[in-house]
């Protein structure tokens, strides 16, 4: 499902126009992005949680040249699905 299809489905389910729904989704993602910038976790009930994780610096080896390189530390966004959805997917999507 791409963004346009998602907005159309959400607008249909909520009874809003596609333009209002797009604006709402944009505000939601902006708020989530601001929270991630602050290093906070965003948890959505019965869906899952998004967490900013710190990855430490590490040394890697280029397999072709054998050259060792230092990879600097960075932040990465992780997602942990809720146990409800995990069980539904485990059971093939059946309720």
């Amino acid at each position: 499902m791409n963004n346009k299809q998602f907005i159309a489905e959400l607008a249909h389910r909520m009874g809003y126009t596609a333009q209002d729904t797009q604006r709402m989704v944009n505000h939601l993602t902006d708020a989530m992005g601001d929270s991630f910038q602050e290093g906070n976790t965003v948890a959505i009930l019965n869906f899952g949680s998004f967490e900013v994780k710190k990855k430490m610096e590490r040394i890697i080896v280029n397999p072709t040249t054998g050259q060792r390189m230092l990879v600097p530390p960075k932040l990465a966004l992780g997602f942990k699905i809720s146990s409800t959805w995990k069980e539904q997917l485990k059971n093939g999507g059946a309720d």
Side-chain angles (χ1 to χ4, degrees):
M1 176 180 282
N2 63 29
N3 186 57
K4 188 174 182 179
Q5 294 167 331
F6 175 71
I7 296 299
E9 179 65 25
L10 190 58
H12 175 73
R13 288 185 183 199
M14 295 184 66
Y16 293 124
T17 65
Q19 185 178 9
D20 288 342
T21 305
Q22 180 68 57
R23 197 172 15 247
M24 179 183 60
V25 169
N26 288 343
H27 287 301
L28 174 70
T29 55
D30 288 345
M32 289 174 70
D34 293 343
S35 186
F36 298 145
Q37 290 293 328
E38 295 170 4
N40 298 327
T41 298
V42 175
I44 302 172
L45 187 63
N46 295 325
F47 181 70
S49 59
F50 297 89
E51 180 181 13
V52 177
K53 297 179 180 184
K54 295 176 184 171
K55 295 200 172 203
M56 304 302 287
E57 72 179 8
R58 58 195 171 96
I59 297 174
I60 62 168
V61 178
N62 182 330
T64 306
T65 63
Q67 180 182 6
R68 297 175 65 155
M69 296 180 280
L70 181 66
V71 177
K74 65 179 180 178
L75 298 175
L77 187 62
F79 176 72
K80 184 176 180 185
I81 194 167
S82 74
S83 58
T84 305
W85 278 105
K86 187 181 276 188
E87 281 300 315
Q88 284 185 5
L89 293 173
K90 188 177 181 182
N91 296 328
D95 291 333

